[in-house]
Amino acid sequence: QKADMPTPRMTHTSAVVNGKIYVIGGASSEPGWNVLSTVEEYDPVADAWTRKADMPTGRSDMVGSSAVVDGKIYVIGGDGNSYADWWSPTVEEYDPATDTWTRKADMPTGRDCLATVAMDGTIYAIGGYPPNANVGLTTVEVYDPTTDTWTRSPDMPLGVALLNACVLRGKIYAIGGRPDLKSRAYLQEYDPVTCTWTRKADLLVGTSQMGSVVLANKIVVIGGWLWSAVEPYQAVQIYDPATDMWTREADTPFLRAVFSADVVNNRIYVIGG
């Protein structure tokens, strides 16, 4: 157990810059469903939190939909406070060095519950839900921060929302998620060299809105749930791309979904949810 985050929240996003974790947006359940613009910085060395400049556009439903390029955090998509602001195309850049936000070019396909990863200086926005439909998208769009432009990339074979994504050994992995309202065990691998997707070994436990990180050249998947009508999982699943195999590790001491997970100095930090 570490120092509690000052603002209780879920469905937020987070990212690591210079050994510190930035927790951004999300929603509070008290009172009611309240979408947040709050940004808080966690210093693992001091085990302490600091309030930072609010995100201009408060958003939730964005677990895993931020990415870091050149020390700046890009927060992409999600849901605003009102129905008119759901399935957002909004992209905002946060610079921890100056504690400032900048609006960037909108994502072509407005969506929530997507996953993003940074690779070779570009950001891949993967899957998610489209407006007014609980049907996972196959859509993949790529953002170039140097030109502030978007391009279309090859679709995923299986459309999912509420997924995670990780980069490992030059490949992008789209993990779990929901094609409809219930989680699946899908693992889909993208090779940016050949621009092709490949289905890989299924997770041992189908999950969504979980935490996924890369540690020791493996993908660690923590918690999540089948869907929000049941309790979250305690499952810890580890994927080795060298063997295309999953192993089940000791359960967590908590049941957790709609949280964020990050790695600093070979330690995994599980936050909120």
Side-chain angles (χ1 to χ4, degrees):
Q1 180 73 35
K2 308 301 286 185
D4 282 351
M5 179 169 51
T7 305
R9 59 180 110 176
M10 55 189 167
T11 75
H12 54 279
T13 192
S14 65
V16 176
V17 177
N18 293 328
K20 296 180 180 178
I21 301 171
Y22 294 85
V23 180
I24 302 167
S28 169
S29 59
E30 295 180 2
W33 183 263
N34 180 34
V35 173
L36 302 172
S37 58
T38 309
V39 179
E40 291 165 338
E41 173 199 83
Y42 177 68
D43 183 343
V45 175
D47 189 28
W49 290 89
T50 304
R51 182 71 180 260
K52 294 295 181 177
D54 284 357
M55 179 170 55
T57 308
R59 282 172 280 160
S60 64
D61 282 328
M62 52 182 189
V63 172
S65 58
S66 62
V68 177
V69 176
D70 293 333
K72 296 181 175 65
I73 302 169
Y74 295 83
V75 180
I76 300 170
D79 291 329
N81 239 331
S82 67
Y83 186 79
D85 296 324
W86 286 10
W87 307 289
S88 174
T90 301
V91 180
E92 290 170 331
E93 173 201 85
Y94 177 67
D95 185 347
T98 59
D99 191 27
T100 56
W101 286 90
T102 305
R103 182 70 180 255
K104 295 296 182 177
D106 283 356
M107 178 171 51
T109 305
R111 43 190 152 149
D112 60 12
C113 306
L114 67 155
T116 67
V117 292
M119 189 175 189
D120 297 329
T122 59
I123 298 171
Y124 290 76
I126 303 167
Y129 282 135
N132 302 306
N134 291 314
V135 178
L137 292 168
T138 59
T139 305
V140 180
E141 292 166 334
V142 182
Y143 176 70
D144 184 344
T146 61
T147 60
D148 191 28
T149 57
W150 286 89
T151 56
R152 189 69 181 253
S153 187
D155 286 356
M156 278 190 299
L158 304 168
V160 283
L162 304 161
L163 70 159
N164 285 174
C166 291
V167 173
L168 181 57
R169 295 166 58 141
K171 307 283 178 63
I172 296 171
Y173 293 88
I175 306 159
R178 305 182 202 172
D180 40 47
L181 288 176
K182 292 189 178 180
S183 301
R184 302 295 198 276
Y186 303 155
L187 180 65
Q188 304 177 75
E189 176 196 80
Y190 180 69
D191 184 341
V193 175
T194 61
C195 299
T196 55
W197 286 91
T198 305
R199 181 85 179 265
K200 308 301 283 187
D202 282 356
L203 286 83
L204 302 177
V205 178
T207 188
S208 60
Q209 294 183 299
M210 63 290 198
S212 299
V213 298
V214 172
L215 187 64
N217 289 316
K218 295 178 182 177
I219 297 172
V220 184
V221 178
I222 302 166
W225 49 12
L226 177 66
W227 67 323
S228 55
V230 297
E231 284 190 333
Y233 298 130
Q234 294 174 277
V236 178
Q237 308 174 72
I238 297 184
Y239 177 70
D240 185 347
T243 59
D244 189 29
M245 292 180 62
W246 289 90
T247 55
R248 182 80 181 263
E249 302 299 329
D251 284 354
T252 65
F254 48 78
L255 296 94
R256 196 81 62 92
V258 292
F259 63 97
S260 65
D262 297 282
V263 172
V264 180
N265 293 330
N266 294 318
R267 296 289 185 273
I268 301 171
Y269 292 83
V270 170
I271 303 171

